Amino acid sequence: MIKSIIDPPVPYIGPMPTAINPGKLIRIQGTVPAIAYRFNINLQCGPETSPQDDIALGIAVKVLESFITLNSLQYGIWGERQHMLTSPIKCSERFEIVLVCDFNHFK
């Protein structure tokens, strides 16, 4: 059974409806507000923000600059940023991000 989070408040801070295991898909759909210049999606490994729990995957979408960066936070230290220089995500438009969970990384 597929569990979804429908129309969550922004920002949404809460648990995932199912465990993230190898082979699972995470589909994130939304609409970028007309006045947005960036937004973040963090798959955080717990609820704490100070000190912050690990972030398995941090996605920073820079709408005005048309690029996406990926990163992770482990033991309070950010990893090396991976840049995806071309982003199809635009202001005032719907978007979909699909993540495939693998044993030790996301696709």
Side-chain angles (χ1 to χ4, degrees):
M1 180 176 165
I2 297 172
K3 296 181 183 179
S4 299
I5 300 168
I6 308 291
D7 291 327
V10 177
Y12 173 72
I13 300 171
M16 298 287 287
T18 61
I20 300 175
N21 297 317
K24 289 274 186 173
L25 286 175
I26 299 172
R27 177 172 283 126
I28 302 163
Q29 298 174 321
T31 303
V32 180
I35 60 171
Y37 60 93
R38 69 174 294 155
F39 65 90
N40 295 318
I41 299 168
N42 291 324
L43 301 182
Q44 188 167 304
C45 301
E48 298 302 321
T49 57
S50 183
Q52 188 156 20
D53 285 324
D54 287 352
I55 295 176
L57 178 63
I59 303 169
V61 179
K62 298 182 180 181
V63 180
L64 295 181
E65 298 168 38
S66 297
F67 74 88
I68 298 172
T69 60
L70 306 174
N71 207 339
S72 63
L73 179 73
Q74 295 180 350
Y75 307 108
I77 300 170
W78 284 101
E80 185 176 334
R81 271 188 273 170
Q82 298 179 23
H83 295 273
M84 301 175 70
L85 294 178
T86 55
S87 170
I89 298 174
K90 308 283 185 222
C91 287
S92 302
E93 292 184 7
R94 290 198 48 78
F95 69 89
E96 178 177 68
I97 296 172
V98 178
L99 304 170
V100 179
C101 303
D102 207 342
F103 180 72
N104 60 357
H105 63 275
F106 293 94
K107 297 177 184 176

